[in-house]
Amino acid sequence: MAGKLSLIKILIALTLILLCSTAVSAQQSRQQVAILLSDSEQAYLKPVSAFSNEIGMEVQVYNLQGDLRRDPRLMDKLLASRPSLIFALGAKAAYAAKLWTHQHQEIPVIFAMVLNWQKYNFLKGQDNMSGIASEVAPGIQFLNLSMFVPTARRIGIIYSPEHSREIVVLAREAAALLKLELREHPISSPAEFKAAYRQLASQVDGFWLLNDPFTYTVENMDWMQARCIKDRLVCIGQGSNLAEIGMMLSVLPDIDNIGTQAASMARNILRGQLPKDVGVMESLGTRILLNQRTAARIGISLSAQALGMATEVME
Amino acid sequence: MIRILFVILLLVLARPVSGLAVEPVDFYFYFPDSSQVNLSQLKREMDRFLAKAGFSVRFQPFAHKIDFDNKLKSGRPALVLLPEWYYQCNGRELGLVPLLTPLRHGRSDYTKLLMVRKSSPWKLTDFSGRTVAMTTMGTDNGEKVNRALFDGRKLDLLKNHIVNISKDADAFFAVALGHVDAAVVCGDTLSTVGKLDKKLVEMLEPLIESNPIPMPLLCIMSGRLDPAGIEQIKKIFMAHNGGSDSPAIMEMLHIDGWQTFSN
């Protein structure tokens, strides 16, 4: 009799273990990733598509439609799906993802496509936040300049400390790494730009143009494009229109690569890498736009290899 | 009668086409390890090369896997040049049949190098927990990549964090600037960057060379080219083997010959 009871106990225990493991595996098989969009911006389509294709898990897309208050139940809907991770695109989505996971920091968040992400303090106070920077790092710009024009070693920067202090600090570090010399000229209004250029032009081999509201004005860019050709100086920046209007080189983030990079980061996090150790990665994909006509006008001959390394060449 | 005409029309539309026909055939290209990232230039040269040989194509190169995936499924091109791993993952399902393999320095394979900055503390003996940038080899990262690249070598990529990028040169940029700890980069990319600015390559050092990786495959899509078209394509590409006057397209892709695919 006692033997029978023991057997029954063992069978019950086994059944319970099996039931529990089935429940756990069912939960695991339901694992899904949430994509949170700030709005229906066309630019999000490619990253969403690449991320969904490469993550290898079920993906559910949520859209804030431009306003956190538009659908008051969206947070509950998203959290009810118990996502393994949230991929947030745009500043509003990143902000919402941080806010909504404040009490659920077991859910990692990767944000992307947020301009000037530093000003939002997304990483402050929450260890579940990580992201991808939207701008191309100064080092990438300088490395490309060095690759296409190895003789350009002295780089001029005109900037407003009010808007670009942090990026200039990064630029100094990158220049030191690549053994380039930076010549800086701070300005306090757009009107000072031309005088700053004239002061620096004779001391440098080229200029790096910042997305700074005091330097990056239509008038300044038009003027500078003509002056750089006249003074035979290389100009590099990260606006796609810069190469189009006649500057020699533009290096931009490859938006289409963001979904691929985010999917890799998500896999690493889901395999145990901590979001706080990931932090905010640079956008690793680049688009390189080269204006061959401008290069010729300032006396730079580009080899077939150089032309092959540029994503787009304007002839 | 209408039914018969309809069936004939369908048969005509579904027939295999020859490159000699007036209608050009679709030719897709995807090879993220290529140092030739200027796809417009590549398209121009490939169109010129094949047109000169009397074979009319609509050549379409792709920079991103997602675009290539989508277009390959919907477009059913007659010819495709793609990485060998892509063929192994999806080729048979899509009806692709390997035809030719390009040769580089007379070999049908190439290698990649795990590169770190010279000043970095990372050594092969304890290489783990590092972030490594590299081009994709499909969705199942870790294991497949490890098996393909470093099987039997003193490196376990699975103990590291792989971050995929779309083109090989970006992996080089990322490691050179310390945005990642290491990168798996093609020797071809290093040599191209080195020709432009030697100093940039000198900032890095290799930790280990990968196993040989098969060169990409030139495939035909089942039923999309007739036997005459297939023979013509083979002849066009193989005509330049061993010649001193390589067409620009071959120089652009750093290819010096072609051989018939064999398992």
Side-chain angles (χ1 to χ4, degrees):
Chain A
M1 188 65 184
K4 259 190 180 177
L5 270 174
S6 302
L7 188 64
I8 290 168
K9 275 182 190 166
I10 291 167
L11 282 172
I12 290 171
L14 274 173
T15 312
L16 281 174
I17 290 167
L18 277 172
L19 278 174
C20 286
S21 64
T22 311
V24 168
S25 63
Q27 200 176 342
Q28 277 172 349
S29 69
R30 280 203 310 270
Q31 266 200 339
Q32 63 166 242
V33 170
I35 297 180
L36 183 59
L37 306 178
S38 290
D39 48 43
S40 303
E41 177 69 50
Q42 190 79 4
Y44 299 151
L45 290 178
K46 279 280 187 71
V48 167
S49 171
F51 182 87
S52 307
N53 193 46
E54 295 188 20
I55 190 64
M57 291 170 72
E58 196 184 321
V59 169
Q60 186 69 45
V61 181
Y62 302 85
N63 192 332
L64 289 168
Q65 308 281 1
D67 189 347
L68 264 74
R69 291 161 299 183
R70 191 163 178 137
D71 180 355
R73 292 173 307 159
L74 196 63
M75 179 183 90
D76 293 335
K77 281 186 217 164
L78 186 148
L79 293 176
S81 71
R82 304 183 67 178
S84 307
L85 180 140
I86 300 172
F87 177 37
L89 286 157
K92 282 178 185 152
Y95 175 77
K98 181 177 180 183
L99 191 69
W100 295 354
T101 58
H102 185 65
Q103 301 297 327
H104 299 274
Q105 292 191 34
E106 71 283 3
I107 306 173
V109 173
I110 299 174
F111 66 83
M113 300 183 78
V114 179
L115 283 174
N116 300 317
W117 63 269
Q118 295 90 339
K119 75 177 181 191
Y120 296 101
N121 291 323
F122 288 139
L123 303 192
K124 201 174 171 187
Q126 275 184 226
D127 286 348
N128 64 326
M129 299 295 290
S130 62
I132 303 174
S134 273
E135 296 86 3
V136 167
I140 297 273
Q141 308 264 344
F142 295 160
L143 192 144
N144 274 282
L145 179 64
S146 195
M147 190 169 72
F148 289 106
V149 193
T151 51
R153 310 307 297 166
R154 299 169 305 162
I155 314 298
I157 305 180
I158 302 168
Y159 71 102
S160 65
E162 184 188 342
H163 298 101
S164 304
R165 190 185 302 277
E166 291 85 3
I167 197 155
V168 170
V169 171
L170 293 175
R172 285 179 200 138
E173 289 168 11
L177 199 70
L178 295 164
K179 297 188 172 64
L180 298 172
E181 194 184 322
L182 283 195
R183 299 278 168 94
E184 300 167 20
H185 199 304
I187 55 174
S188 50
S189 78
E192 293 173 24
F193 180 82
K194 291 175 189 172
Y197 173 93
R198 287 191 190 99
Q199 275 198 316
L200 280 182
S202 60
Q203 306 168 32
V204 298
D205 305 311
F207 278 93
W208 176 45
L209 300 169
L210 291 168
N211 286 348
D212 181 309
F214 285 4
T215 59
Y216 202 95
T217 65
V218 174
E219 189 195 336
N220 284 343
M221 291 304 103
D222 277 350
W223 180 84
M224 190 173 190
Q225 181 268 332
R227 279 303 299 247
C228 279
I229 290 174
K230 187 172 168 237
D231 298 336
R232 295 166 80 89
L233 291 171
V234 185
C235 275
I236 180 170
Q238 67 167 303
S240 63
N241 59 334
L242 285 181
E244 282 158 17
I245 65 168
M247 307 287 186
M248 191 187 130
L249 196 56
S250 290
V251 183
L252 326 169
D254 178 6
I255 302 293
D256 294 357
N257 187 63
I258 284 172
T260 302
Q261 185 177 338
S264 306
M265 289 165 66
R267 271 196 302 267
N268 292 333
I269 289 170
L270 294 172
R271 283 177 187 159
Q273 191 179 22
L274 298 173
K276 66 173 183 179
D277 291 343
V278 177
V280 178
M281 283 194 86
E282 296 296 344
S283 175
L284 301 183
T286 57
R287 274 177 63 214
I288 303 163
L289 278 63
L290 191 58
N291 190 318
Q292 196 178 359
R293 198 159 156 257
T294 300
R297 289 177 74 186
I298 60 176
I300 292 166
S301 63
L302 295 162
S303 64
Q305 274 107 350
L307 295 173
M309 288 291 283
T311 327
E312 288 161 51
V313 175
M314 284 144 204
E315 294 166 358
Chain B
M1 186 60 185
I2 291 170
R3 266 189 201 164
I4 293 168
L5 282 172
F6 185 67
V7 169
I8 291 170
L9 182 68
L10 278 178
L11 286 171
V12 167
L13 286 173
R15 81 196 193 285
V17 288
S18 163
L20 294 166
V22 177
E23 181 67 13
V25 299
D26 288 316
F27 183 175
Y28 292 173
F29 174 99
Y30 171 65
F31 184 38
D33 283 350
S34 174
S35 60
Q36 173 68 37
V37 298
N38 184 340
L39 300 185
S40 310
Q41 199 183 26
L42 184 70
K43 176 174 168 49
R44 196 168 49 233
E45 286 306 327
M46 185 63 91
D47 283 343
R48 187 181 299 170
F49 169 67
L50 289 173
K52 202 175 160 191
F55 199 94
S56 178
V57 296
R58 276 184 301 258
F59 183 71
Q60 195 173 344
F62 295 87
H64 299 100
K65 182 171 170 288
I66 180 73
D67 298 328
F68 180 65
D69 281 340
N70 292 339
K71 203 73 194 336
L72 189 57
K73 278 174 199 154
S74 62
R76 289 189 53 77
L79 292 160
V80 190
L81 194 116
L82 42 58
E84 193 264 356
W85 58 259
Y86 195 102
Y87 171 75
Q88 295 298 347
C89 293
N90 316 297
R92 285 176 194 88
E93 189 189 319
L94 290 165
L96 293 172
V97 182
L99 189 67
L100 296 172
T101 308
L103 302 172
R104 186 174 287 168
H105 310 302
R107 292 180 62 96
S108 59
D109 53 45
Y110 63 103
T111 56
K112 296 178 104 171
L113 297 150
L114 179 74
M115 305 295 293
V116 294
R117 282 180 58 81
K118 270 185 182 159
S119 55
S120 82
W122 325 127
K123 299 287 170 242
L124 194 58
T125 44
D126 56 352
F127 196 84
S128 64
R130 308 270 59 92
T131 304
V132 183
M134 63 181 293
T135 54
T136 181
M137 289 186 85
T139 49
D140 166 32
N141 252 304
E143 277 178 43
K144 198 196 303 174
V145 175
N146 224 14
R147 211 167 40 241
L149 298 185
F150 299 108
D151 194 23
R153 309 249 164 169
K154 293 172 189 162
L155 175 67
D156 186 356
L157 268 188
L158 282 176
K159 291 181 181 165
N160 295 280
H161 312 298
I162 298 172
V163 178
N164 286 137
I165 33 89
S166 302
K167 61 178 196 285
D168 205 52
D170 285 332
F172 172 85
F173 298 157
V175 68
L177 293 161
H179 296 161
V180 290
D181 301 320
V184 180
V185 188
C186 288
D188 190 38
T189 302
L190 292 170
S191 138
T192 304
V193 176
K195 278 177 194 161
L196 298 175
D197 188 358
K198 203 168 61 173
K199 292 187 297 297
L200 296 176
V201 178
E202 286 170 353
M203 291 165 67
L204 305 180
E205 64 180 351
L207 283 190
I208 191 170
E209 188 175 15
S210 77
N211 295 321
I213 306 162
M215 286 287 278
L217 301 172
L218 177 67
C219 296
I220 50 166
M221 183 75 78
S222 281
R224 300 290 289 132
L225 266 186
D226 64 16
I230 295 170
E231 270 316 299
Q232 194 194 1
I233 268 292
K234 279 172 87 169
K235 269 190 194 159
I236 292 169
F237 280 104
M238 294 180 79
H240 299 278
N241 284 0
S244 54
D245 58 335
S246 293
I249 186 70
M250 284 171 70
E251 283 178 13
M252 208 173 257
L253 293 170
H254 300 186
I255 286 170
D256 43 49
W258 295 81
Q259 71 180 22
T260 307
F261 173 79
S262 61
N263 265 321

